[in-house]
Amino acid sequence: MDNLSRRLQNIKENPVQYLDKPSITCLDLFLIGYLSTRTELGLDIEGSGIEGFQEWIQNREKTNVSQSWARIILFLNGSERSAFYDFFRLFDIFCEFKKASCEEETQQKKQSIKNDFRYYLRQLYEFIGSIKKRPGMYLLTPSITRLDMLLRGYTLARREADLVPTEEEKEFEGFQSWVQEKYGINSGQSWSKIILFYSVDEDEALQKFFELFEEYLNRNKNSDVDENSG
């Protein structure tokens, strides 16, 4: 069983641990963050294992609409939970199809891809900055929940690469407790759920996240200014 299959099996068996709930939309965003980061780290030099799934779903359902595989499956099932579990059934069928039809890559091409991807490792704050500039490209729709899922996938992929946490990643770990303290929340709710609770909708919560994140990064600078002015 390859890495993606093992991870998907874990998610299927315990979706709350990874996504908070069985949701095809949350799974989609998690996989985007997880698989794209593994690719950038050079961990999936033979491909992530999900390539072609979008086209396969469209061909299977005989549709040419420009909707993601997650939205197509959601439309067919009618609910996030049902679509979540149906994904695993469909993906198993896809894997059998792909196994029977795919040609093996040459060793020279594998090495070339591996070298290309190891030139550049995206850092966390740069990633967040890119999402802020182009949320539609990364999240499809402005949503703090989608952002949370994307970052969870990014973080897990780096852990699987046995990378030592960067200073940015260590600093961001404190964002959860900082948000809890700022809103006076003592429950175990994630930072995304707390911000969403105090926002009108997902879009406003996403914008508020970027404001709070900026405030969080500048917290020490503001403290130094107050001390100097005093």
Side-chain angles (χ1 to χ4, degrees), residues 35-117:
L35 296 176
S36 63
T37 302
R38 282 185 60 87
T39 298
E40 289 179 356
L41 295 172
L43 296 178
D44 294 323
I45 60 175
E46 298 181 20
S48 68
I50 202 170
E51 293 90 349
F53 185 61
Q54 174 70 38
E55 293 78 10
W56 181 81
I57 284 288
Q58 289 180 307
N59 290 334
R60 177 184 172 88
E61 302 305 327
K62 296 179 174 57
T63 177
N64 294 319
V65 295
S66 56
Q67 296 287 359
S68 69
W69 57 260
R71 291 195 176 188
I72 293 174
I73 297 175
L74 177 59
F75 176 77
L76 295 172
N77 284 269
S79 73
E80 288 280 349
R81 182 185 181 85
S82 176
F84 172 81
Y85 288 108
D86 195 35
F87 161 80
F88 297 100
R89 178 185 68 83
L90 291 168
F91 190 71
D92 284 344
I93 298 173
F94 165 72
C95 288
E96 290 300 320
F97 166 81
K98 188 174 182 180
K99 183 178 179 181
S101 61
C102 287
E103 297 180 355
E104 295 183 358
E105 298 178 349
T106 63
Q107 189 61 37
Q108 181 178 1
K109 183 177 180 180
K110 293 178 185 177
Q111 189 61 43
S112 175
I113 295 174
K114 180 177 180 180
N115 292 338
D116 288 344
F117 282 129

Coordinates of all heavy atoms in Angstrom, one line a residue, residues 35-117:
L35 N -0.9 17.0 -0.6 CA -0.2 16.5 -1.8 C 0.7 17.5 -2.5 O 1.8 17.1 -2.9 CB -1.3 16.0 -2.8 CG -2.1 14.8 -2.3 CD1 -3.2 14.4 -3.3 CD2 -1.2 13.6 -2.0
S36 N 0.3 18.8 -2.5 CA 1.1 19.8 -3.2 C 2.4 20.0 -2.4 O 3.5 20.2 -3.0 CB 0.4 21.1 -3.4 OG 0.0 21.7 -2.1
T37 N 2.3 19.9 -1.1 CA 3.5 20.1 -0.2 C 4.4 18.9 -0.4 O 5.7 19.1 -0.4 CB 3.1 20.3 1.2 OG1 2.2 21.5 1.3 CG2 4.3 20.6 2.1
R38 N 3.9 17.7 -0.4 CA 4.7 16.5 -0.6 C 5.5 16.6 -1.9 O 6.6 16.2 -2.0 CB 3.9 15.3 -0.5 CG 3.5 14.8 0.9 CD 2.7 13.5 0.9 NE 3.5 12.5 0.3 CZ 4.4 11.7 1.0 NH1 4.6 11.9 2.3 NH2 5.1 10.8 0.4
T39 N 4.8 17.1 -2.9 CA 5.4 17.2 -4.2 C 6.6 18.2 -4.2 O 7.6 17.9 -4.7 CB 4.4 17.6 -5.3 OG1 3.4 16.6 -5.4 CG2 5.0 17.8 -6.7
E40 N 6.3 19.3 -3.6 CA 7.4 20.4 -3.5 C 8.6 19.8 -2.7 O 9.7 20.3 -2.9 CB 6.8 21.6 -2.8 CG 5.9 22.4 -3.7 CD 5.3 23.6 -3.0 OE1 5.7 23.8 -1.8 OE2 4.6 24.4 -3.7
L41 N 8.4 19.0 -1.7 CA 9.4 18.4 -0.9 C 10.2 17.2 -1.6 O 11.1 16.7 -1.1 CB 8.9 17.9 0.4 CG 8.3 19.0 1.3 CD1 7.6 18.3 2.5 CD2 9.4 19.9 1.8
G42 N 9.7 16.9 -2.8 CA 10.3 15.8 -3.5 C 10.0 14.4 -3.0 O 10.6 13.4 -3.4
L43 N 8.9 14.3 -2.2 CA 8.5 13.0 -1.6 C 7.7 12.2 -2.6 O 7.7 10.9 -2.5 CB 7.7 13.2 -0.4 CG 8.4 13.9 0.8 CD1 7.5 14.1 2.0 CD2 9.7 13.2 1.2
D44 N 7.1 12.8 -3.6 CA 6.2 12.0 -4.5 C 6.8 12.2 -5.9 O 6.2 12.8 -6.8 CB 4.8 12.5 -4.4 CG 4.1 12.2 -3.1 OD1 4.4 11.1 -2.6 OD2 3.3 13.0 -2.6
I45 N 8.0 11.7 -6.1 CA 8.6 11.9 -7.4 C 8.0 11.2 -8.5 O 8.1 11.4 -9.7 CB 10.1 11.6 -7.4 CG1 10.3 10.1 -7.0 CG2 10.9 12.5 -6.4 CD1 11.8 9.6 -7.0
E46 N 7.2 10.2 -8.2 CA 6.4 9.4 -9.2 C 5.0 9.9 -9.3 O 4.2 9.3 -10.0 CB 6.4 7.9 -8.8 CG 7.8 7.3 -8.8 CD 7.8 5.8 -8.4 OE1 6.7 5.2 -8.6 OE2 8.8 5.3 -7.9
G47 N 4.7 11.0 -8.7 CA 3.3 11.5 -8.7 C 2.6 11.2 -7.4 O 3.0 10.3 -6.7
S48 N 1.6 12.0 -7.1 CA 0.9 11.8 -5.8 C 0.0 10.6 -5.7 O -0.4 10.2 -4.7 CB 0.1 13.1 -5.5 OG -0.9 13.3 -6.4
G49 N -0.4 10.2 -6.9 CA -1.4 9.0 -7.0 C -2.8 9.4 -7.3 O -3.6 8.6 -7.6
I50 N -3.0 10.8 -7.3 CA -4.4 11.2 -7.6 C -4.5 11.9 -9.0 O -5.6 12.3 -9.4 CB -4.9 12.2 -6.5 CG1 -6.4 12.3 -6.4 CG2 -4.2 13.6 -6.7 CD1 -6.9 13.0 -5.3
E51 N -3.4 11.9 -9.7 CA -3.4 12.5 -11.0 C -4.4 11.8 -11.9 O -4.3 10.5 -12.0 CB -2.0 12.5 -11.7 CG -1.0 13.4 -11.0 CD -0.2 12.7 -9.9 OE1 -0.7 11.6 -9.6 OE2 0.7 13.2 -9.4
G52 N -5.2 12.5 -12.7 CA -6.1 11.9 -13.6 C -7.5 11.6 -13.0 O -8.4 11.3 -13.7
F53 N -7.6 11.7 -11.6 CA -8.8 11.4 -11.0 C -9.9 12.4 -11.4 O -11.1 12.0 -11.6 CB -8.7 11.5 -9.5 CG -9.9 11.1 -8.7 CD1 -10.4 9.8 -8.8 CD2 -10.6 12.0 -7.8 CE1 -11.6 9.4 -8.1 CE2 -11.7 11.6 -7.1 CZ -12.2 10.3 -7.3
Q54 N -9.6 13.7 -11.6 CA -10.5 14.7 -12.1 C -11.1 14.3 -13.4 O -12.3 14.3 -13.6 CB -9.9 16.1 -12.2 CG -10.7 17.2 -12.8 CD -11.9 17.6 -11.9 OE1 -11.7 17.7 -10.7 NE2 -13.0 17.9 -12.4
E55 N -10.2 14.0 -14.4 CA -10.7 13.6 -15.7 C -11.5 12.3 -15.7 O -12.5 12.2 -16.4 CB -9.5 13.5 -16.7 CG -8.7 14.8 -16.9 CD -7.8 15.2 -15.8 OE1 -7.6 14.4 -14.9 OE2 -7.3 16.3 -15.8
W56 N -11.0 11.4 -14.8 CA -11.7 10.1 -14.7 C -13.2 10.3 -14.2 O -14.1 9.7 -14.8 CB -10.9 9.2 -13.8 CG -11.5 7.8 -13.7 CD1 -11.4 6.8 -14.5 CD2 -12.4 7.4 -12.6 NE1 -12.1 5.7 -14.0 CE2 -12.7 6.0 -12.9 CE3 -12.9 8.0 -11.4 CZ2 -13.5 5.2 -12.0 CZ3 -13.6 7.2 -10.6 CH2 -14.0 5.9 -10.9
I57 N -13.3 11.1 -13.2 CA -14.7 11.4 -12.7 C -15.6 12.0 -13.8 O -16.7 11.7 -13.9 CB -14.6 12.3 -11.5 CG1 -14.1 11.5 -10.2 CG2 -15.9 13.0 -11.2 CD1 -15.1 10.6 -9.7
Q58 N -15.0 13.0 -14.5 CA -15.8 13.7 -15.5 C -16.2 12.7 -16.6 O -17.3 12.7 -17.1 CB -15.0 14.8 -16.1 CG -14.8 16.0 -15.2 CD -14.0 17.1 -15.8 OE1 -12.9 16.9 -16.2 NE2 -14.5 18.3 -15.8
N59 N -15.3 11.8 -17.0 CA -15.6 10.8 -18.1 C -16.6 9.8 -17.5 O -17.5 9.4 -18.3 CB -14.3 10.1 -18.5 CG -13.4 11.0 -19.3 OD1 -13.8 12.0 -19.9 ND2 -12.1 10.7 -19.3
R60 N -16.4 9.4 -16.3 CA -17.3 8.4 -15.7 C -18.8 9.0 -15.6 O -19.7 8.2 -15.9 CB -16.9 8.0 -14.3 CG -17.8 7.0 -13.6 CD -17.2 6.8 -12.2 NE -18.2 6.0 -11.4 CZ -18.2 4.7 -11.3 NH1 -17.3 4.0 -12.0 NH2 -19.1 4.1 -10.6
E61 N -18.9 10.2 -15.3 CA -20.2 10.8 -15.1 C -20.7 11.6 -16.4 O -21.7 12.2 -16.4 CB -20.2 11.8 -13.9 CG -19.8 11.2 -12.6 CD -20.7 10.0 -12.3 OE1 -21.9 10.0 -12.6 OE2 -20.2 9.1 -11.6
K62 N -19.8 11.5 -17.4 CA -20.1 12.1 -18.7 C -20.5 13.6 -18.6 O -21.6 14.0 -19.0 CB -21.3 11.3 -19.4 CG -20.9 9.9 -19.7 CD -22.1 9.2 -20.4 CE -21.7 7.8 -20.9 NZ -21.1 6.9 -19.8
T63 N -19.6 14.3 -17.9 CA -19.9 15.7 -17.8 C -18.7 16.5 -18.2 O -17.5 16.1 -18.0 CB -20.2 16.1 -16.3 OG1 -20.4 17.5 -16.1 CG2 -19.1 15.6 -15.3
N64 N -18.9 17.7 -18.7 CA -17.8 18.6 -19.2 C -17.8 19.9 -18.4 O -17.1 20.8 -18.7 CB -17.9 18.9 -20.7 CG -17.7 17.7 -21.5 OD1 -16.8 16.9 -21.3 ND2 -18.5 17.6 -22.6
V65 N -18.6 19.9 -17.3 CA -18.7 21.2 -16.5 C -17.4 21.4 -15.8 O -16.7 20.4 -15.4 CB -19.8 21.1 -15.5 CG1 -21.2 21.0 -16.2 CG2 -19.6 19.9 -14.5
S66 N -17.0 22.6 -15.6 CA -15.7 22.9 -15.0 C -15.8 23.0 -13.4 O -15.6 24.0 -12.8 CB -15.2 24.3 -15.5 OG -16.2 25.3 -15.2
Q67 N -16.2 21.8 -12.9 CA -16.3 21.7 -11.4 C -15.3 20.7 -11.0 O -14.9 19.8 -11.7 CB -17.7 21.2 -11.0 CG -18.9 22.2 -11.4 CD -18.9 23.4 -10.4 OE1 -18.1 23.5 -9.5 NE2 -19.8 24.3 -10.7
S68 N -14.8 20.9 -9.8 CA -13.8 19.9 -9.2 C -14.4 18.6 -9.0 O -15.7 18.5 -8.9 CB -13.2 20.5 -7.9 OG -14.2 20.5 -6.9
W69 N -13.6 17.6 -8.8 CA -14.1 16.2 -8.6 C -14.9 16.2 -7.3 O -15.9 15.5 -7.2 CB -12.9 15.2 -8.5 CG -11.9 15.5 -7.5 CD1 -10.6 16.1 -7.7 CD2 -11.9 15.2 -6.1 NE1 -9.9 16.1 -6.6 CE2 -10.6 15.6 -5.6 CE3 -12.8 14.6 -5.2 CZ2 -10.3 15.5 -4.2 CZ3 -12.5 14.5 -3.9 CH2 -11.3 14.9 -3.4
A70 N -14.5 17.0 -6.3 CA -15.2 17.0 -5.0 C -16.6 17.6 -5.2 O -17.6 17.0 -4.6 CB -14.4 17.9 -4.0
R71 N -16.8 18.6 -6.0 CA -18.1 19.2 -6.2 C -19.0 18.2 -7.0 O -20.2 18.2 -6.8 CB -18.0 20.5 -6.9 CG -17.4 21.6 -6.0 CD -17.6 23.0 -6.5 NE -17.0 24.0 -5.6 CZ -17.2 25.3 -5.7 NH1 -17.9 25.8 -6.8 NH2 -16.7 26.2 -4.8
I72 N -18.4 17.5 -8.0 CA -19.1 16.6 -8.8 C -19.7 15.5 -7.9 O -20.9 15.1 -7.9 CB -18.3 16.0 -9.9 CG1 -17.9 17.1 -10.9 CG2 -19.0 14.8 -10.6 CD1 -16.9 16.6 -12.0
I73 N -18.8 14.9 -7.0 CA -19.2 13.8 -6.1 C -20.3 14.4 -5.1 O -21.2 13.7 -4.8 CB -18.0 13.3 -5.3 CG1 -17.0 12.6 -6.3 CG2 -18.4 12.2 -4.3 CD1 -15.7 12.2 -5.7
L74 N -20.1 15.6 -4.6 CA -21.1 16.2 -3.7 C -22.4 16.3 -4.4 O -23.5 16.0 -3.8 CB -20.6 17.6 -3.2 CG -21.5 18.3 -2.3 CD1 -21.8 17.6 -1.1 CD2 -20.9 19.7 -2.0
F75 N -22.4 16.8 -5.7 CA -23.7 16.9 -6.4 C -24.4 15.6 -6.6 O -25.6 15.5 -6.4 CB -23.4 17.5 -7.8 CG -24.6 17.6 -8.7 CD1 -25.5 18.6 -8.5 CD2 -24.8 16.7 -9.7 CE1 -26.6 18.7 -9.3 CE2 -25.9 16.8 -10.5 CZ -26.8 17.8 -10.3
L76 N -23.6 14.5 -6.8 CA -24.2 13.2 -7.0 C -24.8 12.6 -5.7 O -25.7 11.8 -5.8 CB -23.1 12.3 -7.6 CG -22.6 12.6 -9.0 CD1 -21.4 11.7 -9.4 CD2 -23.7 12.5 -10.0
N77 N -24.2 13.0 -4.6 CA -24.6 12.4 -3.3 C -25.6 13.3 -2.5 O -26.4 12.8 -1.8 CB -23.4 12.1 -2.5 CG -22.6 10.9 -2.9 OD1 -22.9 9.8 -2.5 ND2 -21.7 11.0 -3.8
G78 N -25.4 14.6 -2.7 CA -26.4 15.5 -2.0 C -26.0 15.9 -0.6 O -26.6 16.9 -0.1
S79 N -25.0 15.3 0.0 CA -24.6 15.7 1.3 C -23.1 15.5 1.5 O -22.5 14.7 0.8 CB -25.3 14.9 2.4 OG -24.8 13.6 2.5
E80 N -22.5 16.4 2.3 CA -21.0 16.3 2.5 C -20.6 15.0 3.1 O -19.6 14.4 2.6 CB -20.6 17.4 3.5 CG -20.7 18.8 3.0 CD -19.5 19.2 2.1 OE1 -18.5 18.4 2.2 OE2 -19.5 20.2 1.5
R81 N -21.4 14.4 4.0 CA -21.0 13.1 4.6 C -21.1 12.0 3.7 O -20.1 11.2 3.5 CB -21.9 12.9 5.8 CG -21.6 11.6 6.6 CD -22.6 11.3 7.7 NE -22.2 10.1 8.4 CZ -21.4 10.0 9.4 NH1 -20.8 11.1 9.9 NH2 -21.2 8.9 10.0
S82 N -22.2 11.9 2.9 CA -22.3 10.8 2.0 C -21.3 10.9 0.9 O -20.7 9.9 0.5 CB -23.7 10.9 1.4 OG -23.9 9.9 0.4
A83 N -21.0 12.1 0.4 CA -20.0 12.3 -0.6 C -18.6 11.9 -0.1 O -17.8 11.4 -0.9 CB -20.0 13.8 -1.1
F84 N -18.3 12.2 1.1 CA -17.0 11.9 1.7 C -16.8 10.4 1.6 O -15.7 10.0 1.1 CB -17.0 12.3 3.2 CG -15.8 11.9 4.0 CD1 -14.6 12.6 3.9 CD2 -15.9 10.8 4.8 CE1 -13.5 12.2 4.6 CE2 -14.8 10.4 5.5 CZ -13.6 11.1 5.5
Y85 N -17.7 9.6 2.0 CA -17.5 8.1 2.0 C -17.6 7.6 0.6 O -16.9 6.6 0.2 CB -18.5 7.5 2.9 CG -18.2 7.7 4.4 CD1 -19.0 8.5 5.1 CD2 -17.1 7.1 5.0 CE1 -18.7 8.8 6.5 CE2 -16.8 7.3 6.3 CZ -17.6 8.2 7.0 OH -17.3 8.4 8.4
D86 N -18.4 8.2 -0.3 CA -18.5 7.7 -1.7 C -17.1 8.0 -2.4 O -16.8 7.3 -3.3 CB -19.6 8.4 -2.4 CG -20.0 7.7 -3.7 OD1 -19.9 6.5 -3.7 OD2 -20.3 8.4 -4.7
F87 N -16.4 9.0 -2.0 CA -15.1 9.3 -2.6 C -14.2 8.1 -2.5 O -13.5 7.7 -3.5 CB -14.4 10.5 -1.9 CG -12.9 10.5 -2.2 CD1 -12.4 11.0 -3.4 CD2 -12.1 10.1 -1.2 CE1 -11.1 11.0 -3.6 CE2 -10.7 10.1 -1.4 CZ -10.2 10.6 -2.6
F88 N -14.2 7.4 -1.4 CA -13.2 6.3 -1.2 C -13.6 5.1 -2.1 O -12.8 4.4 -2.6 CB -13.2 5.9 0.3 CG -12.7 7.0 1.2 CD1 -13.6 7.8 1.9 CD2 -11.4 7.2 1.3 CE1 -13.1 8.8 2.8 CE2 -10.9 8.2 2.1 CZ -11.8 9.0 2.9
R89 N -14.9 4.9 -2.3 CA -15.4 3.9 -3.2 C -14.9 4.2 -4.6 O -14.4 3.3 -5.3 CB -16.9 3.8 -3.1 CG -17.5 2.7 -4.1 CD -19.0 2.7 -4.1 NE -19.5 4.0 -4.6 CZ -19.7 4.2 -5.9 NH1 -19.4 3.2 -6.8 NH2 -20.2 5.3 -6.4
L90 N -15.1 5.4 -5.0 CA -14.8 5.8 -6.4 C -13.3 5.8 -6.6 O -12.8 5.4 -7.6 CB -15.3 7.2 -6.7 CG -16.9 7.3 -6.8 CD1 -17.3 8.7 -6.8 CD2 -17.3 6.6 -8.0
F91 N -12.5 6.2 -5.6 CA -11.1 6.3 -5.7 C -10.5 4.9 -5.8 O -9.5 4.7 -6.5 CB -10.5 7.0 -4.5 CG -9.0 7.4 -4.7 CD1 -8.6 8.3 -5.6 CD2 -8.0 6.7 -4.0 CE1 -7.3 8.6 -5.8 CE2 -6.7 7.0 -4.2 CZ -6.3 8.0 -5.1
D92 N -11.1 3.9 -5.1 CA -10.6 2.5 -5.3 C -10.8 2.0 -6.7 O -9.9 1.4 -7.2 CB -11.3 1.6 -4.3 CG -10.9 1.8 -2.9 OD1 -9.8 2.4 -2.6 OD2 -11.6 1.4 -1.9
I93 N -11.9 2.4 -7.3 CA -12.2 2.0 -8.7 C -11.2 2.7 -9.6 O -10.6 2.1 -10.5 CB -13.6 2.3 -9.1 CG1 -14.6 1.6 -8.2 CG2 -13.9 2.0 -10.5 CD1 -16.1 2.0 -8.4
F94 N -10.9 3.9 -9.3 CA -10.0 4.7 -10.2 C -8.6 4.1 -10.1 O -7.9 4.0 -11.1 CB -10.0 6.2 -9.7 CG -8.8 7.0 -10.2 CD1 -8.7 7.4 -11.5 CD2 -7.8 7.3 -9.3 CE1 -7.7 8.1 -12.0 CE2 -6.7 8.0 -9.8 CZ -6.6 8.4 -11.1
C95 N -8.2 3.7 -8.9 CA -6.8 3.2 -8.7 C -6.6 1.9 -9.5 O -5.6 1.6 -10.1 CB -6.5 2.9 -7.2 SG -6.3 4.4 -6.3
E96 N -7.7 1.1 -9.6 CA -7.6 -0.2 -10.3 C -7.5 0.1 -11.8 O -6.8 -0.5 -12.6 CB -8.9 -1.0 -10.1 CG -8.9 -1.7 -8.7 CD -7.7 -2.6 -8.4 OE1 -7.3 -3.3 -9.4 OE2 -7.2 -2.5 -7.3
F97 N -8.3 1.2 -12.2 CA -8.3 1.6 -13.6 C -6.9 2.1 -14.0 O -6.3 1.8 -15.0 CB -9.3 2.7 -13.9 CG -9.2 3.5 -15.1 CD1 -9.6 2.9 -16.3 CD2 -8.6 4.7 -15.1 CE1 -9.5 3.6 -17.5 CE2 -8.4 5.4 -16.3 CZ -8.9 4.9 -17.5
K98 N -6.3 2.9 -13.1 CA -5.0 3.6 -13.4 C -3.9 2.5 -13.4 O -3.0 2.6 -14.2 CB -4.7 4.6 -12.3 CG -3.5 5.4 -12.5 CD -3.4 6.5 -11.5 CE -2.2 7.4 -11.7 NZ -2.0 8.5 -10.7
K99 N -4.0 1.5 -12.5 CA -3.0 0.5 -12.4 C -2.9 -0.3 -13.7 O -1.9 -0.7 -14.2 CB -3.3 -0.4 -11.2 CG -2.3 -1.5 -11.0 CD -2.7 -2.4 -9.8 CE -1.7 -3.5 -9.6 NZ -2.1 -4.3 -8.4
A100 N -4.1 -0.5 -14.3 CA -4.2 -1.3 -15.5 C -3.8 -0.5 -16.8 O -3.4 -1.1 -17.8 CB -5.6 -1.8 -15.7
S101 N -3.8 0.8 -16.7 CA -3.6 1.6 -17.9 C -2.3 2.5 -17.9 O -1.8 2.9 -19.0 CB -4.8 2.5 -18.2 OG -4.9 3.4 -17.1
C102 N -1.7 2.7 -16.7 CA -0.5 3.6 -16.7 C 0.8 2.9 -17.1 O 1.0 1.7 -16.9 CB -0.3 4.1 -15.2 SG -1.6 5.3 -14.7
E103 N 1.6 3.6 -17.8 CA 2.9 3.1 -18.2 C 3.9 3.6 -17.1 O 3.8 4.6 -16.5 CB 3.3 3.7 -19.5 CG 2.4 3.2 -20.7 CD 2.9 3.8 -22.0 OE1 3.8 4.6 -22.0 OE2 2.2 3.5 -23.0
E104 N 5.0 2.8 -16.9 CA 6.0 3.1 -16.0 C 6.9 4.2 -16.5 O 7.2 4.2 -17.7 CB 6.8 1.9 -15.6 CG 6.1 0.8 -14.9 CD 7.0 -0.4 -14.5 OE1 8.2 -0.3 -14.9 OE2 6.4 -1.3 -13.9
E105 N 7.3 5.1 -15.6 CA 8.2 6.2 -16.0 C 9.7 5.7 -16.0 O 10.0 4.7 -15.3 CB 8.1 7.4 -15.0 CG 6.8 8.0 -15.0 CD 6.7 9.1 -14.0 OE1 7.7 9.2 -13.2 OE2 5.7 9.8 -14.0
T106 N 10.5 6.3 -16.8 CA 11.9 5.9 -16.9 C 12.6 6.4 -15.7 O 12.3 7.4 -15.1 CB 12.6 6.4 -18.2 OG1 12.6 7.8 -18.1 CG2 11.9 5.9 -19.4
Q107 N 13.7 5.8 -15.3 CA 14.5 6.2 -14.1 C 15.1 7.6 -14.3 O 15.2 8.4 -13.4 CB 15.6 5.2 -13.9 CG 16.4 5.4 -12.6 CD 15.5 5.3 -11.4 OE1 14.6 4.4 -11.3 NE2 15.7 6.1 -10.3
Q108 N 15.4 7.9 -15.6 CA 16.0 9.2 -15.9 C 15.0 10.3 -15.6 O 15.4 11.3 -15.1 CB 16.5 9.2 -17.3 CG 17.1 10.6 -17.7 CD 17.6 10.6 -19.2 OE1 17.4 9.6 -19.9 NE2 18.2 11.7 -19.6
K109 N 13.7 10.1 -16.0 CA 12.7 11.1 -15.8 C 12.4 11.3 -14.3 O 12.2 12.4 -13.8 CB 11.4 10.7 -16.5 CG 10.3 11.7 -16.4 CD 9.1 11.3 -17.2 CE 8.0 12.3 -17.1 NZ 6.8 11.9 -17.9
K110 N 12.4 10.2 -13.5 CA 12.2 10.2 -12.1 C 13.3 11.1 -11.4 O 12.9 11.9 -10.6 CB 12.2 8.8 -11.5 CG 11.1 7.9 -11.9 CD 11.3 6.5 -11.3 CE 10.3 5.6 -11.8 NZ 10.5 4.2 -11.2
Q111 N 14.5 10.9 -11.8 CA 15.6 11.6 -11.2 C 15.5 13.1 -11.5 O 15.8 14.0 -10.7 CB 16.9 11.1 -11.6 CG 18.1 11.7 -10.9 CD 18.1 11.4 -9.4 OE1 17.7 10.3 -9.0 NE2 18.3 12.4 -8.6
S112 N 15.1 13.4 -12.8 CA 15.0 14.8 -13.2 C 13.9 15.5 -12.4 O 14.1 16.6 -12.0 CB 14.6 14.8 -14.7 OG 14.4 16.1 -15.1
I113 N 12.7 14.8 -12.2 CA 11.7 15.4 -11.5 C 12.1 15.7 -10.0 O 11.8 16.7 -9.4 CB 10.4 14.5 -11.5 CG1 9.9 14.5 -13.0 CG2 9.3 15.1 -10.6 CD1 8.7 13.5 -13.1
K114 N 12.8 14.7 -9.5 CA 13.2 14.8 -8.1 C 14.2 16.0 -7.9 O 14.0 16.7 -7.0 CB 14.0 13.5 -7.7 CG 14.5 13.5 -6.3 CD 15.1 12.2 -5.9 CE 15.6 12.1 -4.5 NZ 16.3 10.8 -4.2
N115 N 15.1 16.1 -8.8 CA 16.0 17.3 -8.7 C 15.3 18.6 -8.9 O 15.6 19.6 -8.1 CB 17.1 17.1 -9.8 CG 18.0 16.0 -9.5 OD1 18.1 15.5 -8.4 ND2 18.7 15.5 -10.6
D116 N 14.4 18.7 -9.8 CA 13.6 19.9 -10.0 C 12.9 20.4 -8.8 O 12.9 21.5 -8.4 CB 12.7 19.8 -11.2 CG 13.4 19.7 -12.5 OD1 14.5 20.1 -12.5 OD2 12.7 19.3 -13.5
F117 N 12.2 19.4 -8.1 CA 11.4 19.8 -7.0 C 12.2 20.1 -5.7 O 11.7 20.8 -4.8 CB 10.4 18.7 -6.6 CG 9.2 18.7 -7.6 CD1 8.8 17.5 -8.2 CD2 8.5 19.8 -7.8 CE1 7.8 17.5 -9.1 CE2 7.4 19.8 -8.7 CZ 7.0 18.6 -9.3

